[in-house]
Amino acid sequence: MPMPAAATVLTARALLLDMDGTLVNSDAVVERCWRRWADRHGLDADEVMKVVHGRQGYASMAVLLPDRPMEQNFADNARMLAEETADMDGVVEIPGAFAFLASLAGLPHALVTSADVGLSTARMAAAGLELPDVRVTAESVGASKPDPEGFLKGAAELGVAPEDCVVFEDSGAGIAAGRSAGMRVVGVGPRAAVHRPDVVVRDLTQVRVESTADGTIRLHVG
């Protein structure tokens, strides 16, 4: 079971941050878009919603429609991205995200998201959040979470060994990706709790960042 949030202290050299469900609450638009998609394809929308969080759209489609050619998934994913990017209704910050990002100024950190550049830029702006300087988006990788490629690329771009990174994630696919990358994972929100991250927080108000003289980041979680 995850350690209790109280009295947990993690140290790291860099932090790798998922976006949706971790920094930005985009659940309303994700539900709208994917439930419409499920209806178009005659699928149970509740079952679809169990799959889609954390993955790139084409990867979710491959799970949900295993017999469909990948070319159709890629084309459908492009339409889905356009639909999601045009819908910012209800997109807000996860509580504490603004202050959390502000506390990372000058410290090594990166955004590692399954969204593309357009969608991540739009959602972070809608939530009133600054984009980190280092960003690994859908265009940056060849494989979607739960593959660890995105997190490993983020660590490499920051010049930090994977084992010295802490990942912040909300989804099962993202938590699995962080673990596969050899990183420790802070789970954010109720979705995370069932996927056995190293520690779980309700939201980012439960995380305090402390920088030390030797460049270590100390995370007080809980």
Side-chain angles (χ1 to χ4, degrees):
M1 294 294 292
M3 294 183 292
T8 298
V9 178
L10 301 174
T11 59
R13 291 286 177 179
L15 306 183
L16 301 177
L17 315 174
D18 175 51
M19 182 182 71
D20 293 301
T22 301
L23 299 173
V24 173
N25 183 345
S26 56
D27 281 0
V29 61
V30 171
E31 288 267 347
R32 284 194 294 273
C33 291
W34 279 99
R35 285 182 180 277
R36 285 195 297 266
W37 183 89
D39 186 61
R40 289 196 296 269
H41 294 280
L43 299 175
D44 184 303
D46 290 337
E47 294 303 312
V48 166
M49 295 313 303
K50 294 176 183 178
V51 171
V52 301
H53 291 290
R55 292 179 170 87
Q56 291 191 45
Y58 75 84
S60 296
M61 293 168 189
V63 172
L64 294 161
L65 297 173
D67 297 326
R68 190 166 78 159
M70 282 303 298
E71 301 78 44
Q72 292 185 34
N73 293 335
F74 287 126
D76 212 359
N77 183 49
R79 290 188 290 270
M80 177 68 77
L81 283 169
E83 188 178 343
E84 289 186 284
T85 304
D87 184 355
M88 292 295 128
D89 187 23
V91 175
V92 296
E93 70 163 316
I94 294 291
F98 183 89
F100 174 66
L101 287 172
S103 73
L104 297 182
L107 300 177
H109 67 287
L111 188 73
V112 182
T113 176
S114 293
D116 65 1
V117 169
L119 183 57
S120 58
T121 301
R123 282 188 177 162
M124 289 288 281
L129 301 176
E130 292 286 334
L131 281 163
D133 291 336
V134 178
R135 300 184 287 275
V136 179
T137 61
E139 298 93 337
S140 308
V141 297
S144 170
K145 299 172 186 176
D147 191 282
E149 181 186 357
F151 287 124
L152 292 172
K153 188 161 190 174
E157 291 197 20
L158 293 170
V160 176
E163 61 268 24
D164 291 327
C165 295
V166 169
V167 165
F168 283 73
E169 263 286 359
D170 74 299
S171 71
I175 291 167
R179 285 201 175 283
S180 293
M183 302 171 181
R184 290 153 295 154
V185 182
V186 175
V188 180
R191 246 192 321 265
V194 299
H195 297 290
R196 303 181 66 84
D198 294 280
V199 61
V200 180
V201 294
R202 178 186 65 251
D203 55 42
L204 294 172
T205 65
Q206 293 188 298
V207 180
R208 182 169 63 85
V209 178
E210 177 189 0
S211 59
T212 64
D214 68 354
T216 299
I217 301 169
R218 186 173 291 136
L219 297 169
H220 300 265
V221 183

